[in-house]
Amino acid sequence: MLKKADRIYFGGDYNPDQWDEATILEDMRLFEEAGINLLTLPVFSWAKLEPAEGEYHFEWLDRILDIIWSHGIRVCLATPTTAQPAWLSRKYPEVLPVDIEGRRRTHGMRVFFCVNSPKYRERAAAIAEEMARRYARHPALAVWHVSNEYGTYCYCPVCQDKFRGWLKKRYGSIEELNARWHTAFWGRTVYDFDEIMLPTELNDDYRFQPNVELDYLRFMTDSTAECFRNEADILKKYNPDIPVSTNISGFIKKLDQFEMLKHMDVAGWDNYPWPTDPPDLVAFKHDIMRGLKGGQSYMMTEQSPNQQNWQPYNKLKRPGEVRKISYQAIAHGADTCLFFQMRQSIAGQEKFHGAVISHAGHGSTRVFREVKRLGAELKKLGSDLIEGRISSRVGILFDWNNWWALELASGPSKDMDYLKTVSKYYRAFYEKNIPVDILSVDSDLDSYDLILAPELYMTKEGVAERITEFVRKGGTFAATVMSGLVDENDRCVFGEYPGKLKEVLGIWVEETDALRPEEFNYMLTDARAGLPASRYRCGFLCDIVHPRKAETMAVYESDFYRGVPCLTRNSFGKGTAWYIGTEPEDAFLSDFFGSVCSSLGIRPLYPAAAGVELTNRVSGQASVVFALNHNVSEAWVDFGSDQLTDYQSGKTFTGMVKLAPWDVLVLKKKERN
Amino acid sequence: MLKKADRIYFGGDYNPDQWDEATILEDMRLFEEAGINLLTLPVFSWAKLEPAEGEYHFEWLDRILDIIWSHGIRVCLATPTTAQPAWLSRKYPEVLPVDIEGRRRTHGMRVFFCVNSPKYRERAAAIAEEMARRYARHPALAVWHVSNEYGTYCYCPVCQDKFRGWLKKRYGSIEELNARWHTAFWGRTVYDFDEIMLPTELNDDYRFQPNVELDYLRFMTDSTAECFRNEADILKKYNPDIPVSTNISGFIKKLDQFEMLKHMDVAGWDNYPWPTDPPDLVAFKHDIMRGLKGGQSYMMTEQSPNQQNWQPYNKLKRPGEVRKISYQAIAHGADTCLFFQMRQSIAGQEKFHGAVISHAGHGSTRVFREVKRLGAELKKLGSDLIEGRISSRVGILFDWNNWWALELASGPSKDMDYLKTVSKYYRAFYEKNIPVDILSVDSDLDSYDLILAPELYMTKEGVAERITEFVRKGGTFAATVMSGLVDENDRCVFGEYPGKLKEVLGIWVEETDALRPEEFNYMLTDARAGLPASRYRCGFLCDIVHPRKAETMAVYESDFYRGVPCLTRNSFGKGTAWYIGTEPEDAFLSDFFGSVCSSLGIRPLYPAAAGVELTNRVSGQASVVFALNHNVSEAWVDFGSDQLTDYQSGKTFTGMVKLAPWDVLVLKKKERN
Amino acid sequence: MLKKADRIYFGGDYNPDQWDEATILEDMRLFEEAGINLLTLPVFSWAKLEPAEGEYHFEWLDRILDIIWSHGIRVCLATPTTAQPAWLSRKYPEVLPVDIEGRRRTHGMRVFFCVNSPKYRERAAAIAEEMARRYARHPALAVWHVSNEYGTYCYCPVCQDKFRGWLKKRYGSIEELNARWHTAFWGRTVYDFDEIMLPTELNDDYRFQPNVELDYLRFMTDSTAECFRNEADILKKYNPDIPVSTNISGFIKKLDQFEMLKHMDVAGWDNYPWPTDPPDLVAFKHDIMRGLKGGQSYMMTEQSPNQQNWQPYNKLKRPGEVRKISYQAIAHGADTCLFFQMRQSIAGQEKFHGAVISHAGHGSTRVFREVKRLGAELKKLGSDLIEGRISSRVGILFDWNNWWALELASGPSKDMDYLKTVSKYYRAFYEKNIPVDILSVDSDLDSYDLILAPELYMTKEGVAERITEFVRKGGTFAATVMSGLVDENDRCVFGEYPGKLKEVLGIWVEETDALRPEEFNYMLTDARAGLPASRYRCGFLCDIVHPRKAETMAVYESDFYRGVPCLTRNSFGKGTAWYIGTEPEDAFLSDFFGSVCSSLGIRPLYPAAAGVELTNRVSGQASVVFALNHNVSEAWVDFGSDQLTDYQSGKTFTGMVKLAPWDVLVLKKKERN
């Protein structure tokens, strides 16, 4: 996809409009020294490139691109449409967004426009076309980057009208909309699409009418995709060979990225882990990114080479930390390692955000030395990894609509957190170094042996049917509390829970108790479950499960539902379907999925000490194994009889290998004959 | 009052507009099975009944009422005016409320209209009249239910104008208003009623000008009463025999319910205790409801048959819990036991709120079985209880104006909580099973032996005089810290505290110290106070009390006011007046009021174990005793020589009786000859 | 400055418009009894004095002034412009402020006008002129008090326009503004001053664009100074001999008071310590006030004679507390001791705020007795203290622009608190009774031996140069973490930290780590530092310091920067410059500055027990020593061979003297021959 790449793209965001040419030339020297081969620009230069409507001044950018290319560096060329010029906001205030309180914003922030504004789209398309015409065949051009971190919701009159039109198209008639939104509740029946109001703080529908809000979020995803396409289609027209992407903000919930990615050639995302994020959470997010286009490698578009500025306490990245998180991204499917920012801004909101070149302006800094070492290492990897894929027998379903609806629901617990819950299930595999694919609910399940669907609250058309078919044909499936409750309009099933999943799971769920954070129950497991312990803590939610055809594999220890099943197994067709009717502690998930994987013959990549992360990416050129030691002490991995050659030292490893604290090994696996 | 009732009304909110007829008929079958005899509807059906202005379609409702009545079930017929149709909001946006920030809301939520809007009132009256004309003589009609959970404040131009008019009427002249509002403070003098602005977030008067806000809250109560009357008067016109009511939301502070109830035939309220609410708090609220119309029985209009959806952690109601809280309501004066909701909605904000018939749609659920058992039990009570009254010798004054003003006051402590404070005093009697009446400050005090006025900060015209007269004639009175400070315009007394109560209490209060939540002092009691202990903890506020004629019965243990009185007793006329100048711990209140009651010959209904709640309702037909065991273990009550017959088993009890955990006995007391 | 004062002015805010004449006459009697000699009025009487536009009624005030003066009391005459009449807001709504959310406020609060409103200024000037013409030569007039507690920010169209004009004047051209604001960041380049928007919640610039917000705050200071001058210039015109001032609110951050004071004759501020404020924090604020006009004595314009009403828990002032805090103010440079309020208001927001005469209305209260005692004491001091100065060899730089910019910065830690940090450094001297002057960054440093610049993040033009010169000539300077990072437009230095202070400090700071509140490191000190301990705790921020010419005097104990310097000393010219690269615990600051002072021969006023505060004010008439015992137990001070005479008892002390708990001695020091 990143066709011109002969090795991992290494570099990041560069804002030459902030510096004079002497500084830029010094930067180039340092970039070469550090092995930089890609720069992203000019993200924030709309005002510079188009100082007045239709007046373009690209000479500056021509010169910059020539300087960059003369140093053998490629560019990720950004349309600068994330920050429209002040003159545009002043001349056409309708390009500014209206917020959820109904207030028209004034010019200021970035990503501060209405994605549906015709005038914004007209001017954005115009400058994108100028750039495409000028640079689409520039030899330095590696990839197009449209705008930046989309995700601003708007509630302006244009959005109001388009939302009505969108609903009309989706539902056809007002009767159908009334039925799908179940407007009879609280007397919300409408007789005309023009009676429909956006869900805002002015009517509180954004939190009290989940079905309206759900459609609004879908509409915003579609509108944003359209806004992206508004530029992307033009860029493609001038050179269809250059991939087009954008960067997803770290907070990924706002837009349905499976939907967004249908319109992009490659996923790009900004990796900003918090100092407190455990490595498995970061790995999980990387796997989501790899999943967005069905396992295709993606761009890590941003990460900080040192501390951030926007956290409450911005800790320095420790020595070796940037190297480790960079390799982690690549280990999970990234084909780029890009930093925000290459040179530190001297003013504004992010002036204390880490950069490859700090305010000091020279290379005699710890951060620059670490970046330079990484650059040298990445060179040695060459192109082996590019487009390398990860092979998994386990899939976890992940769905943005489900995420939104689940967390919009009022009851049974306020602590519903879909991302956290899915990551909890993911962790049970991560810690065993069993690779997992994150799948959309539309994915083909045939190639997997085990499918998990944590809190699959919403069963869209065909999903339960596909899961049922998967099990019937021999697959193993695991569902959890909060499953199968609603349809894609957030209407509850008319009948017993878990709705369309009832048959494959062989159970009926009568009630769900919500526990306070300090409250717990225990699961008492049946010997047949084959688990090392017979008692595990659980909490959060507790289903009252009635097995119909399923066998009970664990029951609650206490409360009025003592003895009621909380873990069931149903043999269905050639396969097996498990139901976990509560939120178990991590130890249970580890033991339980360990046992399930074991019975399915799914094994870790290699045996390794706790805290060692292993992945295996296989491209047309090579099979590459990554071993990351997240411990602050030495740890081991046992490669058995495999022979793996270290890209850095050239040494070949086999059997038991020691990893230094926080060390990473990238190894080329010798193919067995 | 609920004239047609031949037994406790048992049923609740039903929304047939959400279902097809097959479902409705199945519901009826289940209702009959469960002993349901009242359904409330069609609360949210305005849009269905009037799809366009003046176009009414009542055929659907005719059919529903016929079906219901054909199953022998009566209806609480609701005017559907709580949720106006979207077309109405669109055509006449002025019906929508303007919020405290000055923002006109958009169509969405329920109870989302301006109570003063002429257009809203016109359309509400019109549909109420349609309903009255059609159904006022329908045999199923038991009671009218106007709208739903009133309490939306509005700050629109119409309200602004009406508020000025209301003030003009209240004060007559601008000079009088200036005097009563004491506008000289902070230079707020006005020269024209049109200079007066509503207290909003735009001028911060809602929190910084207590006298303006206080009048605004009175104005809102009057406006809401008018809005209620707008419909109620029409309903009455068509059949004066049908009682008219509405349901008070659980959060009762917003409107002065003593004032509201002047316009209603019967009180109705929605009982949603939190899992953490102790039984005495629930009992206290029931007693408030009974007090609203001077002891007359009231309607419990809503409670959940299982978990709620809107709490942070929605715990399932435990087996037996619905039965216990239902009987508690009846024990305190409710003549109905109604649920929200009869069938669970499949969408919207409340889709996970408990219902008699859950999404599962059948009767094979724990909840349905418990409801059915209760229905069968209530049938056995027959009409014995209807209109039954509770007889009390103890009264507690409770006043909405006082509540508002006390909590609006800036200083001496931010933790002023009137409801909590009064409930603390109430508890001292509740735990002894000494019945208490909650009285408005206008109530006749003659029939009581003991009157409490916790934190009676505001002494309205005549109130202090009536209390003084009560004591002079032999009554016992107890006042507390924060008493007698202001008049009904929140103007402080010009002179010593506690103002008009100074003489009857025989003291002067010089200063009031505010303690932080973690700080305490101790009350050292005098032997003459006759209390079991000589030292009790106190805190929150500490008055510096100077006795004039009163005797000191306790003093502070520490701080610079060590030795200063904090409990005084004044003999006045034939009676006694106590002053408690701080907030004592519960043990003090229990011991102290135990001693006071004992000296007045006020005794518990029966001796009983802790956690056993007893009440006695006496109607023209019977004297009924309720015994509720709130313990999770067995407990006793000692009926002595009384003979009481259990409505359920027919057994007659006397002497010591054991109550199973969480059990309730309802017993007919044999009249002594 | 307070020319007519023959002794400390003692009195406070009095609002006779709230009372009838009988009450006023009784108040006068009590004031005379209490030794009151100054009343501030009529702060809130605009509506009374000008009931309609241009219609003035001053007869009432004439009479009041005559009554007051007939009791020998002077007045601090206030223009009543803090609370415009309702008719003014109604007739000219443009006088009302627009808030940061863009909402035009409605009439209500005080200080509730736009300082830039032409109409407000016109009407304020008109009434000021009326007052000046009438009272400028009144014998009772001691000082003019313009308006009250300025500090309301406004975002109205008038302010928007004026802000653009202010920027144009400041920067000359749009190119210069773009450069100074570094608008290239985030694409904020502007091409016309009319494109600039105020920083509000509508564009989030108030928190995300520090350079815009910083200029807005400067603009608001200038606008408020102009608004003050609008009245002050008129008052001066009628009698140039009467000093003109206003009162600064306790929350002093909003306006740059060094700038404001350029336009006033004398500083005035409202001293409202919280019960939890340690005495050193109060002393620090007093010293700021004394610093505002270069050491000239100031007016303490308000303090409460008892509890406040607006704190969460309003504790009574303990017996002796008012006396102690009153003397503390005078000890630090106040020439007045004024209370808010003389008589307690009976209504409104502050009705429970303490007053000299409480609601009780008589003098038989603890508070009145304490005030009266203090009045009698102050009389004995006579005029000895007036204009007395404090002599200091230590100066601490304090800068409002630095304060704003430092706390606006995003990163490295959210807990940046300039006032708290400076007060921490101040405490190290306070606890030793070493006098300190608080200096603006423009101050002349020549007369000091030691200059501290805690967190001098912003080095304005010339400041670093002046500090460098100060050290070169022999001064001792101490800088801390977060120093020298930005210029006056909040642009970071282009090059190594700490920018312009790098040479004098002889170091380079590479990075700054932010620790969470629960995290710590330790400083291991070198023996040459001469400190009693070798290990001190530090935290918050940790610089990675590279000494260039400086010597390392302490290093970090742990983390990856173990062994890295955190305290350095640089010999530069004839002086010494210290750098403290982290936030040390108080014990370090105490030991370290103890050692530094000792080496410079800077000694405590007198040896004294911990918790005893000493100051020395010297006027043309006398050298007065204050000794305050903040302990709840007895404590000592050792006057050595000095002879000091107690103003109250007339006794002369020498050598070791005991102070009773919370006692204060005011002593006249005998000049040595």
Side-chain angles (χ1 to χ4, degrees), chain B residues 557-673:
Chain B
E557 183 186 75
S558 58
D559 215 319
F560 78 86
Y561 38 88
R562 179 161 47 97
V564 165
C566 52
L567 176 71
T568 62
R569 180 177 66 189
N570 196 38
S571 295
F572 184 88
K574 297 183 184 163
T576 304
W578 292 87
Y579 186 73
I580 306 168
T582 180
E583 186 171 281
E585 60 173 318
D586 282 2
F588 171 85
L589 296 179
S590 178
D591 290 351
F592 174 70
F593 286 110
S595 159
V596 169
C597 284
S598 178
S599 74
L600 295 171
I602 302 172
R603 310 208 168 282
L605 279 178
Y606 295 105
V612 171
E613 178 177 346
L614 305 171
T615 74
N616 181 201
R617 285 185 67 187
V618 182
S619 71
Q621 292 177 260
S623 172
V624 181
V625 169
F626 292 80
L628 294 85
N629 180 11
H630 291 294
N631 301 289
V632 292
S633 55
E634 209 178 58
W636 59 270
V637 51
D638 184 352
F639 293 125
S641 58
D642 281 0
Q643 291 192 320
L644 299 112
T645 307
D646 179 4
Y647 279 97
Q648 301 309 322
S649 67
K651 278 196 273 188
T652 296
F653 294 109
T654 190
M656 201 77 151
V657 172
K658 294 280 180 195
L659 288 159
W662 276 28
D663 200 7
V664 177
L665 286 179
V666 187
L667 308 151
K668 187 166 186 165
K669 188 173 159 187
K670 193 171 173 184
E671 294 302 316
R672 289 160 180 281
N673 303 330

Side-chain angles (χ1 to χ4, degrees), chain A residues 160-176:
Chain A
Q160 175 71 83
D161 280 354
K162 283 197 69 167
F163 183 50
R164 289 166 180 165
W166 184 92
L167 290 169
K168 198 164 190 173
K169 195 169 158 201
R170 185 176 179 90
Y171 297 118
S173 70
I174 201 73
E175 292 73 23
E176 181 66 10

